[in-house]
Amino acid sequence: MLATWHWHIEISSKCTLQCPRCARQEVPNGLVNTELDLEFFKRNFTPEFVLSNVEKITFCGDDGDPIYAHDLIPVIRYIKSIKPVEIVIVTNGSYKKIEWWHELGLSLTEQDTVHFSVDGWDNASNNQYRVNSDFESIMTGIRTLKSHSLCRLVWDAILFRFNEDRIDHMQTLARQLGMDGFQLTQSTKFGHIYKIYGQDDPLKPSSQSWTDTTRYKREMVKLSERGLNDAVSATNLRLYQQAMERPLMNFDSVIPLCEIGNKGLYIDAQGRLFPCCWVANRYNHNSEWQTLANQFNLRERTLLQVLDDSFWFMEFQKFNWSECKTKCTPVLLFDQKYATDW
């Protein structure tokens, strides 16, 4: 069964950046620049559904950045008016004004988290991958939230060759800014794994052991005494333990993360429901899911109608998809210290 307590929503597919290994740049022909408005959420995330199902919403896009959605703040306020749902925002943080960050900060509480995706330590270094980002406006966002909100702040970095010797420096900067965590991701998208990037891939870290071959690896360094949301972590661990107590569906070594909520059920900016963002990306190997998702468009059917579709109880529950076999966490490697994906 799908776990409906955690939702991963791409509220906007719009973005100001041109990161070279983002789907926006690599498969631009399938890109649809759009966003989800407040009325979409009122129609699908009704008070009854939120109260009985939802504990956490992660706003993060495959193509876009949530801060460029016109209704992001009204949507957060709407959800919070129903129930104190945990909100997680993952953003590059560029080009918003102090006033906007102030308004966002007032909408968030101590159980919420904003992740700033920053791979450098100044504008020049950050633009080596986060092309067209603006470092100073990112720092403005961090400082404004720090001074006007109780929300947690996390610096997210991907390990590249250009920053591998400056990780400690970036952590120090994050600590000086008063942030609560520093999250380092070891990516898979380098030349020794994907031939399209070439063996002389300039972004690839100097050691192949600093990359991953299937699912990315993440390590979180705590910079303050504040930790994960205890209630949300407890839900994830309870469902994980229940899954451990019975035979697994189709393959013995993997717990489907959409079944326990570690990976939130994914709604893209077109309003289509996917089991996770891994099957939603627009690369050729996911063309089948792109076709399937048109049946599950929440602009045309309500969320409850889609979740009642027999597909989720029959075909999907086989978990016989390539992403399930390569991305989901093997049972013996499930790390309870980091029970949720953000």
Side-chain angles (χ1 to χ4, degrees), residues 136-331:
E136 189 54 43
S137 62
I138 296 169
M139 295 299 105
T140 294
I142 294 171
R143 293 188 182 103
T144 305
L145 288 180
K146 180 64 182 176
S147 61
H148 290 86
S149 180
L150 296 175
C151 69
R152 297 174 178 86
L153 300 174
V154 177
W155 183 311
D156 288 0
I158 300 173
L159 189 66
F160 293 108
R161 184 173 303 179
F162 69 82
N163 68 11
E164 64 185 21
D165 295 327
R166 301 299 297 272
I167 299 301
D168 288 346
H169 175 72
M170 294 161 66
Q171 284 186 17
T172 298
L173 180 54
R175 186 175 285 107
Q176 291 172 346
L177 288 165
M179 302 183 78
D180 299 290
F182 184 92
Q183 182 170 274
L184 184 65
T185 297
Q186 296 173 232
S187 180
T188 65
K189 301 188 75 172
F190 296 113
H192 67 287
I193 300 173
Y194 296 96
K195 293 181 180 179
I196 58 172
Y197 302 126
Q199 289 300 311
D200 297 325
D201 182 355
L203 290 176
K204 180 176 72 70
S206 58
S207 171
Q208 291 188 14
S209 65
W210 290 353
T211 63
D212 194 28
T213 57
T214 53
R215 181 187 177 187
Y216 57 80
K217 295 177 182 175
R218 282 177 172 159
E219 295 182 2
M220 176 75 81
V221 176
K222 288 184 63 175
L223 303 179
S224 78
E225 294 305 311
R226 300 203 292 178
L228 294 170
N229 183 313
D230 292 337
V232 166
S233 299
T235 298
N236 201 148
L237 293 179
R238 174 173 52 80
L239 292 174
Y240 167 72
Q241 290 161 357
Q242 289 175 1
M244 287 287 287
E245 292 171 357
R246 58 167 174 69
L248 296 175
M249 291 283 183
N250 214 32
F251 37 91
D252 294 335
S253 61
V254 172
I255 292 179
L257 298 184
C258 59
E259 185 184 19
I260 62 174
N262 176 281
K263 196 74 175 171
L265 297 185
Y266 182 69
I267 299 173
D268 73 2
Q270 297 179 58
R272 302 178 303 169
L273 175 65
F274 296 83
C276 70
C277 66
W278 289 326
V279 302
N281 69 62
R282 295 180 291 99
Y283 293 87
N284 288 334
H285 61 280
N286 283 333
S287 57
E288 182 179 8
W289 268 108
Q290 291 292 315
T291 301
L292 280 171
N294 292 324
Q295 301 177 39
F296 313 127
N297 193 324
L298 304 181
R299 296 183 189 273
E300 299 174 2
R301 303 165 67 188
T302 67
L303 181 54
L304 287 176
Q305 289 172 336
V306 169
L307 289 174
D308 283 340
D309 193 294
S310 61
F311 173 86
W312 302 107
F313 304 101
M314 297 172 63
E315 187 64 25
F316 175 70
Q317 294 297 330
K318 297 176 182 178
F319 297 106
N320 192 27
W321 313 92
S322 61
E323 288 80 8
C324 304
K325 297 177 181 178
T326 59
K327 295 281 193 177
C328 282
T329 307
V331 172

Side-chain angles (χ1 to χ4, degrees), residues 18-78:
Q18 299 170 0
C19 305
R21 294 189 186 168
C22 173
R24 296 183 66 86
Q25 304 305 311
E26 295 192 311
V27 282
N29 290 340
L31 176 64
V32 177
N33 279 312
T34 187
E35 61 185 76
L36 304 175
D37 61 15
L38 179 59
E39 291 307 310
F40 174 90
F41 283 85
K42 288 183 175 180
R43 180 171 180 265
N44 290 289
F45 288 86
T46 63
E48 295 77 14
F49 184 82
V50 172
L51 284 169
S52 61
N53 290 277
V54 184
E55 293 185 38
K56 176 179 179 181
I57 295 178
T58 296
F59 290 108
C60 175
D62 270 11
D63 289 314
D65 190 310
I67 68 172
Y68 304 126
H70 181 268
D71 283 355
L72 175 62
I73 295 174
V75 165
I76 292 172
R77 288 175 175 167
Y78 166 71

